[in-house]
Amino acid sequence: MTASDTATALPTLDMDVSLSVEEAAARHAASGLLTVDLDAIVANWRLLAGKSTPAECAAVVKADAYGCGAVPVATALAGAGCNTFFVATLNEARALRPALPEHAVLYVLDGFFPHCGDVYAAIDARPVIGSLIELAEWDVFRRRSGWRGGAALHIDTGMNRLGVLPAEAEGLLPRLRQADHGLTLVMSHLACADTPDHPLNGRQAAAFREIASRFTGVPAALANSSGIFLGPAFHFDMVRPGAALYGVNPTPEADNPMKPAVGVEARIVQIREVARGDTVGYGATWTARRPTRLAIVTAGYADGYFRAAGGVDGVRSAEAVVAGQRCPVAGRISMDLIAIDITDLADKAVRRGHMATLIGGGVTVDELARHFGTIGYEVLTSLGNRYHRVYKPAAAA
Ligand SMILES: *Cc1c(COP(=O)(O)O)cnc(C)c1O
């Protein structure tokens, strides 16, 4: 039997007939599908790189590339010409390094972890040094080991999270007279980049410009995704977008310039009729106002579909796309299941085994984030690991 025989022999899904037998079987068995469009991520990176020229456009792939998969995402971006990658933790760096081209630069945003110098050296990862203590420890390691790999210096300009103070950074300036000072980047991070009118943006940019300009010969980086859209005064020598690569709107007050990169579908395991006046789900928060047809789908809060989006009487709930139409969520979100009101669909429009689209088909990560009471970042990083992942490859450049 060929792959296409298998695919057509199982009538529940519109399967791509080019799939292998194993892949077709895996998709039939999956409760949900998480589709990551690497071509869209590459297109998003190119758009951000174009907006930031002549600054270098790096890529932030922490938290498993915001849930999209750090290895496939970084591989696709490296193929498109991205040369600098940021992860949060040392273990993320360890997992990613073997997938990167040798020339790629890899920074660890959380900084230098005590007693781990040899790990940074083994994988040629650069810590983003966030305090004088870290810098001292890093220097001890370099002196003892002879390791000559670089590090970034993080300077805090108003976030009050990680980073040395500008005055502390100033105290480090004499270090630049050493041929081997080891600093390959100075950076800071914006607290309010998604709010263009916030006065802190200008204050942070000015403070960073002043101190960074004194680190002669060391490239400087300030902007995250939203920071890129604040204009050239925020671009410096390198930009560090994360969320926008994955389709989150970096300009929340305007239309989203990015392409959606993530799709989520969940399987309809049952279709049931509910009488008028009956309630649906835990807590009986949702009442059928008419004879109602429900699609029960296999995803829930354990898959990152927040309980906050549940359907409550009198409140507009989140929507999913079923048979090409938007349909509201009915009742509370369970751990593994969601009920969707499909009463308005044509009778035979949908069957058990079909998929409902939870993200995609016009339902954006940002829209869902509003229903969840959070931001697109948390939607993506909460997606969970029960989905069968499908990667749409990046087209050759
Ligand atoms: C996460 C992070 C970024 C990327 O931010 P986005 O808003 O996702 O673009 C950039 N820089 C630092 C220091 C970060 O922690």
Side-chain angles (χ1 to χ4, degrees):
M1 203 157 75
T2 66
S4 58
D5 288 339
T6 313
T8 48
L10 296 164
T12 51
L13 278 172
D14 295 329
M15 267 305 168
D16 180 345
V17 291
S18 66
L19 294 179
S20 70
V21 176
E22 292 77 14
E23 180 60 16
R27 290 195 195 180
H28 283 295
S31 55
L33 294 180
L34 171 58
T35 306
V36 177
D37 186 343
L38 295 172
D39 204 44
I41 293 174
V42 165
N44 287 339
W45 180 79
R46 290 208 168 102
L47 185 133
L48 297 167
K51 269 200 90 64
S52 314
T53 327
E56 179 188 351
C57 189
V60 179
V61 293
K62 61 191 179 189
D64 203 24
Y66 295 51
C68 294
V71 167
V73 165
T75 303
L77 290 176
C82 181
N83 196 54
T84 302
F85 296 88
F86 289 84
V87 291
T89 71
L90 185 53
N91 279 333
E92 288 179 345
R94 202 147 43 170
L96 181 58
R97 176 48 97 181
L100 293 178
E102 211 171 319
H103 57 78
V105 175
L106 180 56
Y107 284 104
V108 178
L109 287 167
D110 285 352
F112 182 65
F113 293 16
H115 315 296
C116 292
D118 51 338
V119 184
Y120 292 83
I123 60 171
D124 191 10
R126 300 179 183 180
V128 177
I129 303 278
S131 71
L132 294 180
I133 292 284
E134 274 179 55
L135 183 62
E137 288 177 359
W138 176 242
D139 281 342
V140 167
F141 167 72
R142 288 175 99 240
R143 210 163 38 242
R144 287 196 182 146
S145 66
W147 173 246
R148 288 294 159 260
L153 178 67
H154 193 162
I155 304 170
D156 191 274
T157 53
M159 181 83 167
N160 279 307
R161 194 173 63 175
L162 295 177
V164 302
L165 299 174
E168 292 173 323
E170 204 174 320
L172 298 172
L173 287 169
R175 180 189 181 101
L176 297 178
R177 290 199 288 268
Q178 305 162 25
D180 173 39
H181 60 71
L183 295 180
T184 49
L185 184 71
V186 287
M187 57 170 263
S188 192
H189 191 47
L190 296 165
C192 306
D194 58 353
T195 312
D197 294 336
H198 201 291
L200 192 50
N201 291 323
R203 286 210 299 275
Q204 285 195 269
F208 185 61
R209 169 158 295 101
E210 189 176 316
I211 185 67
S213 67
R214 300 180 64 191
F215 281 77
T216 316
V218 182
L222 175 64
N224 66 336
S225 298
S226 295
I228 292 171
F229 293 84
L230 295 177
F234 290 79
H235 294 167
F236 294 87
D237 303 303
M238 183 196 285
V239 294
R240 304 185 309 268
L245 295 172
Y246 314 107
V248 173
N249 188 358
T251 58
E253 294 171 9
D255 287 347
N256 190 353
M258 314 315 298
K259 289 191 177 178
V262 173
V264 170
E265 293 163 85
R267 189 177 303 283
I268 297 170
V269 282
Q270 187 169 131
I271 292 172
R272 64 189 299 129
E273 311 289 336
V274 174
R276 183 169 177 273
D278 272 5
T279 61
V280 174
Y282 286 120
T285 60
W286 191 92
T287 313
R289 300 273 159 227
R290 55 181 175 171
T292 295
R293 204 148 33 102
L294 295 179
I296 312 297
V297 307
T298 53
Y301 60 78
D303 304 289
Y305 204 94
F306 289 26
R307 286 180 78 251
V312 176
D313 285 332
V315 179
R316 214 185 141 178
S317 66
E319 292 172 336
V321 177
V322 184
Q325 239 174 281
R326 277 178 176 257
C327 303
V329 164
R332 284 211 183 133
I333 310 297
S334 302
M335 184 187 291
D336 320 298
L337 296 167
I338 302 170
I340 300 170
D341 180 354
I342 57 166
T343 314
D344 290 335
L345 297 186
D347 243 4
K348 296 259 155 52
V350 65
R351 284 184 282 143
R352 170 176 166 263
H354 284 182
M355 304 301 270
T357 301
L358 304 182
I359 299 176
V363 177
T364 65
V365 168
D366 293 294
E367 172 187 331
L368 218 46
R370 282 191 293 278
H371 287 287
F372 291 178
T374 182
I375 54 175
Y377 297 64
E378 196 180 10
V379 175
L380 291 180
T381 56
S382 300
L383 285 172
N385 51 23
R386 286 201 289 200
Y387 296 106
H388 177 69
R389 285 167 174 248
V390 177
Y391 285 92
K392 287 195 194 159

